[in-house]
Amino acid sequence: MSARTVETPVLDTPVPRPGSAPRALLVRLNTPTVRTRLGSAAGVLILAVLLWRLGTGVLLDGLRRIDGLSVLAALGIGLVTTVFSAWRWALVARGLRIRLPLAPAVADYYRALFLNAALPGGVLGDVHRAVRHGQSTGDLGRGVRSVVLERAAGQLALFAAGAVMLLTMPSPVRDDMRQAVPLVGLAALGACAVVLALRMNRSASSRRGRAPRPVLAEAREGLLSRRNGPGVLLSSLVVLAGYLAMFVLAARVAGVGAAVTELLPLGVLALLAMALPLNVGGWGPREGVAAWAFGAAGLGAGRGLAVAVVYGVLSLVASLPGVIVLVVRWYAELRAGRRTVATAARRAQEDTAYAPSLTASAEPVAPAEPAGVAASVAVLPEVSIEKYAPKESTRLARSSLPFSAEPSEGRPMTPESV
């Protein structure tokens, strides 16, 4: 007996390519929601490790030192920084041909600051500000770009002024910064040389025919133009000075008696750490960098943690007017919505009441005739239409226009007859 061979059908199943699974995982992780959650988790982890290693004694002592005078000082510093930040935003929006008055800009900026401090990620308030401003102006793209350029101006001012402070003032990273300056300068020169070579290789016709990129043109007009450049620079410097003043105030509240020239570089490092997207409303990397910087400067890592936490609390206090803006805007929108619903309901009632009258007026009603008139009409004999009809000549004479070519009663046309 010969054994029968049973052939199994081969299914056309896709064979996964090598490396496709990690790529798919990276695509899933590279979403705004996942990035925000990972950043919040990293911030919570940093705070937990710091509290576990350093304890909570110095931290609680710094929080107990916050009094009414420090709260008022924080509100005053926050008012100055918010007004100048809103002014910078209005200047950038004007460069992008968007009208933004200063008073609404200040209110929206306060609301964004509070949302940044209260929500995870530290940037959701700026996202909300950008979207709402774009929707209110009717141009979402320009509204978002105005907020992005305004925040970029603040970060550039922080990087430039911070580099100068870290290079000139005593700090834990001054020696490292001075050693890295030649390398950074060479890298910048190389990048400029590459860009210049690429621009020189283009033909003259392509340069004339190619229009400048809209984003670069808007950035140049919003930040570097003669009309906006001085104001953007001045406002950015004032805002940075306000942030550093808040840090010095937090240090004094936490009981750190070091000189201001020694605290400013440490404050710059803490502000640079806040730009990292691994925080919970700004908390996390700021406290870690402050603890390391204060420990390296000989002031104590616990003191650095206390200063960073007090700075976070005072910054939250400075953004509390944003709560008032949120409540007022929410109440105004609620009243507007109720008014719209009431107006729609009233119009619906009026339409419902008016519909039966329209239906009744649409039905044809025969007019009532008097009985005598109807009887007389019935008794009248039948009248011949031909008897009382006008003559054909009369009809032609009435219907004919002047200088008509139609004959009249068969006679030829003469000037007298016309």
Side-chain angles (χ1 to χ4, degrees):
M1 296 180 61
S2 60
R4 296 182 180 179
T5 59
V6 179
E7 297 182 358
T8 57
V10 180
L11 300 177
D12 295 335
T13 56
V15 180
R17 297 180 181 179
S20 60
R23 187 178 304 172
L25 180 61
L26 290 177
V27 170
R28 289 186 177 183
L29 292 178
N30 193 21
T31 58
T33 304
V34 175
R35 288 198 301 267
T36 302
R37 292 178 180 176
L38 289 178
S40 302
V44 171
L45 181 62
I46 292 172
L47 290 176
V49 171
L50 288 174
L51 293 177
W52 172 58
R53 294 296 301 271
L54 301 176
T56 59
V58 181
L59 171 65
L60 295 177
D61 182 63
L63 292 177
R64 291 192 194 99
R65 291 173 178 267
I66 299 177
D67 53 0
L69 186 60
S70 59
V71 168
L72 291 178
L75 287 173
I77 295 173
L79 177 63
V80 173
T81 56
T82 304
V83 169
F84 275 88
S85 298
W87 179 44
R88 180 177 61 192
W89 182 26
L91 290 176
V92 174
R94 184 182 65 181
L96 271 63
R97 297 184 298 278
I98 299 177
R99 185 177 178 274
L100 179 61
L102 183 59
V106 172
D108 291 344
Y109 219 100
Y110 260 121
R111 180 179 57 188
L113 288 176
F114 175 73
L115 293 178
N116 285 339
L119 298 178
V123 295
L124 295 181
D126 292 327
V127 174
H128 181 264
R129 172 165 61 104
V131 173
R132 289 294 297 269
H133 178 55
Q135 291 177 348
S136 63
T137 56
D139 194 338
L140 183 60
R142 286 188 179 180
V144 172
R145 288 194 294 273
S146 66
V147 174
V148 171
L149 291 175
E150 184 268 328
R151 296 298 297 166
Q155 294 298 322
L156 289 175
L158 174 61
F159 291 152
V164 173
M165 291 182 185
L166 293 177
L167 286 172
T168 57
M169 295 181 178
S171 66
V173 297
R174 183 177 63 177
D175 297 335
D176 298 333
M177 289 284 295
R178 289 179 177 178
Q179 292 177 1
V181 165
L183 298 177
V184 174
L186 290 176
L189 288 177
C192 292
V194 170
V195 172
L196 184 60
L198 291 176
R199 291 179 64 88
M200 290 179 63
N201 286 334
R202 294 176 183 173
S203 61
S205 60
S206 63
R207 279 202 306 270
R208 285 194 300 267
R210 184 176 298 177
R213 294 182 179 179
V215 177
L216 296 178
E218 288 178 348
R220 189 164 50 248
E221 183 66 25
L223 301 179
L224 305 176
S225 63
R226 294 181 179 179
R227 186 183 181 187
N228 292 346
V232 171
L233 179 60
L234 176 62
S235 60
S236 300
L237 293 178
V238 172
V239 171
L240 179 58
Y243 290 159
L244 293 176
M246 185 78 76
F247 189 84
V248 174
L249 174 64
R252 294 293 184 255
V253 171
V256 179
V260 176
T261 56
E262 191 176 357
L263 291 175
L264 289 181
L266 305 181
V268 169
L269 291 174
L271 292 177
L272 290 174
M274 290 179 61
L276 298 175
L278 304 174
N279 57 75
V280 185
W283 299 76
R286 177 184 60 206
E287 285 70 24
V289 171
W292 168 80
F294 273 74
L299 300 175
R303 290 290 181 183
L305 176 60
V307 171
V309 172
V310 173
Y311 177 85
V313 174
L314 294 180
S315 299
L316 180 61
V317 169
S319 67
L320 285 181
V323 180
I324 302 176
V325 177
L326 276 173
V327 173
V328 171
R329 296 283 178 85
W330 171 78
Y331 184 68
E333 291 178 359
L334 184 63
R335 288 191 61 185
R338 288 180 178 177
R339 192 180 300 112
T340 303
V341 172
T343 304
R346 186 169 62 254
R347 288 180 179 177
Q349 267 185 348
E350 293 175 356
D351 294 343
T352 305
Y354 191 61
S357 62
L358 289 177
T359 307
S361 62
E363 295 178 357
V365 179
E369 295 182 355
V373 175
S376 61
V377 170
V379 172
L380 284 176
E382 198 174 308
V383 180
S384 175
I385 299 177
E386 296 179 357
K387 184 176 180 181
Y388 295 97
K391 293 183 180 180
E392 185 67 20
S393 60
T394 308
R395 186 182 63 81
L396 290 174
R398 288 179 181 176
S399 62
S400 62
L401 296 173
F403 304 102
S404 175
E406 295 182 4
S408 177
E409 296 183 357
R411 296 193 297 266
M413 294 293 294
T414 61
E416 290 80 1
S417 65
V418 173

